[in-house]
Amino acid sequence: MSQTFTTTLSTLRRHQDSRIARILDGKDADFKVISGQVFVDRDGTFFKYILDYMRTGQITLPAEFSDYNGLAQEAQFYGLHPLALWVERNSHRSRVEVLELRFSVQETHGFFQIFCSNNKTLEALARRISIFVEHPNLNGNFPHLPQNSSTPHPVPVQRPSHHNMVFHCGTDQLARDDFSARFVTIEPDDRKLLNSTNVLGLLVDTLLKDGFRLIDTRTVSQEEKTECYMFERSRNTQIVVLSETPRAEHLRRQDTQSQLGEGKKK
């Protein structure tokens, strides 16, 4: 099944050292030019990425993309060697993020530990989670907090390392009728949640909406009542490649300097 792509002559000739820059010369047997249209017997699935690279110098591969060898071969065929080299060198890199959520309940507190293989993902999630501590006098009406209770005090999420974070919610009894309450909010939801089960439900829902997939649940410790939830997410891969190799750029610069030197001699 044939596919048709439309582009400009300047795009085709942007990478002057490539085979595709000479596509309209009529001297390459693999390219047949008929009435201004070029026919080539190659896989059109890859050519849309090739065309993106020629236009912008970069391509973005979808999360489900897997045929890196095929893309590298097509890049080689069209003479786009910097792209082919980058794909070959980076095809082995992991494109799956792994996130582990540990949840435990101790008396009136719910504790959360989150580990993630991608530090940037964890940083983004930490910015969305806010902890607020209130010290209202509940006069025995707990857990129905009054709307005009004392001003909440923000508490930052703890980051023991680059790849994990820790926070908790719940209540502490300070005196006979006095409680300290620790609430959690997770953007874009603006609710202040005190119940740890509700926080767990919102956190799982947030991860699923962000593209993570729940792959396993297990109980880590029966005594500590610690539950573990494993998630994974395939990441889009963006490939940014210079249109020329450093060697080619260096030679071009040397040639320019040589021409300028000859001009001065004249």
Side-chain angles (χ1 to χ4, degrees), residues 13-258:
R13 292 179 173 173
R14 181 162 296 162
H15 301 265
Q16 297 180 6
D17 295 332
S18 69
R19 182 182 186 185
I20 204 169
R22 301 179 295 277
I23 197 172
L24 298 177
D25 292 350
K27 299 178 181 180
D28 195 322
D30 286 324
F31 301 102
K32 297 180 181 180
V33 182
I34 303 175
S35 300
Q37 293 186 333
V38 181
F39 295 87
V40 57
D41 187 17
R42 304 295 294 186
D43 191 340
T45 304
F46 298 107
F47 190 73
K48 61 182 178 181
Y49 303 121
I50 297 293
L51 193 55
D52 283 344
Y53 171 73
M54 290 191 298
R55 286 170 174 158
T56 65
Q58 66 182 35
I59 60 175
T60 299
L61 302 176
E64 65 274 12
F65 186 86
S66 60
D67 194 356
Y68 286 83
N69 289 333
L71 179 58
Q73 290 175 7
E74 291 301 293
Q76 287 284 9
F77 173 81
Y78 290 109
L80 298 169
H81 302 299
L83 174 60
L85 183 61
W86 198 99
V87 174
E88 290 171 353
R89 288 180 176 177
N90 293 272
S91 60
H92 65 282
R93 290 188 178 183
S94 174
R95 287 169 292 278
V96 177
E97 295 180 61
V98 178
L99 184 145
E100 178 183 283
L101 166 61
R102 293 197 176 195
F103 168 66
S104 62
V105 177
Q106 299 178 17
E107 297 181 351
T108 59
H109 286 274
F111 292 85
F112 298 85
Q113 289 182 301
I114 302 177
F115 305 86
C116 187
S117 60
N118 188 345
N119 177 44
K120 292 183 179 180
T121 295
L122 203 62
E123 287 180 354
L125 183 60
R127 288 194 294 267
R128 297 169 63 181
I129 298 176
S130 300
I131 314 298
F132 296 93
V133 177
E134 297 182 359
H135 301 278
N137 188 333
L138 303 182
N139 296 321
N141 293 324
F142 180 80
H144 302 291
L145 297 178
Q147 295 297 322
N148 58 351
S149 59
S150 59
T151 303
H153 303 284
V155 177
V157 173
Q158 298 179 19
R159 295 292 305 276
S161 73
H162 291 297
H163 291 283
N164 72 322
M165 67 177 172
V166 179
F167 64 93
H168 69 279
C169 62
T171 59
D172 286 311
Q173 186 172 3
L174 304 179
R176 181 177 180 180
D177 295 321
D178 194 10
F179 291 84
S180 168
R182 183 181 292 253
F183 299 85
V184 174
T185 64
I186 305 176
E187 297 178 356
D189 195 303
D190 59 358
R191 291 175 297 167
K192 289 183 180 179
L193 300 179
L194 180 64
N195 183 280
S196 59
T197 303
N198 293 339
V199 174
L200 175 63
L202 178 58
L203 185 55
V204 170
D205 186 56
T206 300
L207 293 173
L208 294 177
K209 289 181 178 178
D210 285 349
F212 279 97
R213 182 170 61 94
L214 181 63
I215 59 174
D216 184 43
T217 60
R218 68 182 189 277
T219 300
V220 178
S221 173
Q222 292 285 357
E223 296 180 357
E224 298 180 359
K225 298 180 180 180
T226 301
E227 299 174 359
C228 180
Y229 301 81
M230 293 294 297
F231 299 83
E232 71 174 16
R233 177 176 68 177
S234 297
R235 296 179 292 170
N236 284 3
T237 302
Q238 187 178 63
I239 300 178
V240 181
V241 191
L242 295 175
S243 59
E244 293 184 322
T245 62
R247 172 68 176 169
E249 185 178 355
H250 176 68
L251 292 176
R252 187 183 296 273
R253 190 176 302 164
Q254 278 189 333
D255 184 56
T256 302
Q257 292 174 347
S258 176

